[in-house]
Amino acid sequence: MPSREQLSTLLDPDGTVLLTVECQQGVVGPDSALPELAKEARSSGALANIARLVAGAHRGGVQVIHAIAERRPDGRGANHNARLFRAAERLPVQQLSGTTAVRVAPPIEVTEEDFVVRRLHGLSPLAGTDVDALLRNLGCRTLVVTGVSANVAVPNTVFDAVNRGYNAVVPADAIAGVPSDYTPALIRNTLALVATITATDDVLACFERPRR
């Protein structure tokens, strides 16, 4: 874990963006297409911590971006080149554009200042979407990555952020995956090698400190 001073320097509000990954009703909500993942996101406290981080970012003047994965009803433009995509096509709840499934899930609050970026393809919020351009235009140096899943989208996001030159910060208690013991193993053996691992309370302390 970084020192408070190191984390405070990384999380300067003027150069920090908080990203929520696939925290949508059809993924982490009560009617999720992936009930095991939704249950883990809630029972682990990750979803509640993400909501706390978003609220803290709003209070502290830190930009928030919500990354949503969706598909057109006709499936045009969607990937079909992996087992994951083919399985998603058969799920009883579809992440269709314009439906409740692709709205940001409570208790996370979305304000007018937030960006909601939607993608129709791929595994990562940064690859081939508006997110990277927005981050650069916002002057982002540090990206705080939260959300689901630790199995696929979260590590993709962290790797893409690092490859693009951003500092990646991951609050370990604000991401979730399945099974429950997979997330700490991923953090310990993979994400800790490329990102700064911390906790929700420590990030909030930086977001809510008095600005210079």
Side-chain angles (χ1 to χ4, degrees):
M1 290 283 189
S3 69
R4 180 62 59 87
E5 182 178 355
Q6 290 171 326
L7 192 61
S8 181
T9 299
L10 267 180
L11 296 177
D12 180 346
D14 291 332
T16 298
V17 172
L18 173 68
L19 180 69
T20 74
V21 178
E22 297 182 23
C23 293
Q24 55 206 72
Q25 294 195 39
V27 175
V28 296
D31 299 318
S32 170
L34 303 164
E36 185 181 0
L37 177 59
K39 180 180 178 182
E40 179 62 25
R42 292 176 178 275
S43 64
S44 68
L47 188 62
N49 284 331
I50 295 165
R52 292 173 60 213
L53 286 165
V54 169
H58 291 156
R59 291 191 299 269
V62 174
Q63 181 65 57
V64 179
I65 298 179
H66 305 279
I68 301 296
E70 59 182 49
R71 57 185 283 121
R72 287 167 47 122
D74 61 11
R76 288 171 63 88
N79 286 68
H80 305 281
N81 59 334
R83 176 183 171 192
L84 175 65
F85 301 123
R86 296 190 292 272
E89 293 173 0
R90 300 191 296 271
L91 292 174
V93 178
Q94 294 290 305
Q95 313 299 317
L96 298 182
S97 302
T99 66
T100 301
V102 295
R103 295 178 185 168
V104 175
I108 299 168
E109 294 187 1
V110 181
T111 68
E112 292 182 357
E113 290 76 23
D114 294 359
F115 289 98
V116 179
V117 178
R118 303 179 182 279
R119 79 176 194 274
L120 294 170
H121 59 82
L123 300 170
S124 168
L126 269 71
T129 73
D130 290 339
V131 172
D132 185 36
L134 289 173
L135 294 176
R136 296 192 185 283
N137 289 345
L138 291 164
C140 177
R141 295 182 297 277
T142 298
L143 186 65
V144 181
V145 179
T146 68
V148 296
S149 73
N151 304 78
V152 178
V154 168
N156 262 265
T157 305
V158 172
F159 295 150
D160 283 350
V162 172
N163 285 334
R164 286 163 171 77
Y166 302 106
N167 297 306
V169 172
V170 179
D173 53 356
I175 66 171
V178 289
S180 58
D181 59 356
Y182 181 78
T183 300
L186 170 79
I187 292 169
R188 182 174 61 252
N189 296 305
T190 303
L191 297 187
L193 302 177
V194 295
T196 297
I197 307 302
T198 185
T200 293
D201 286 344
D202 294 328
V203 174
L204 285 173
C206 294
F207 283 178
E208 297 175 352
R209 68 188 187 275
R211 302 190 71 173
R212 297 170 188 165

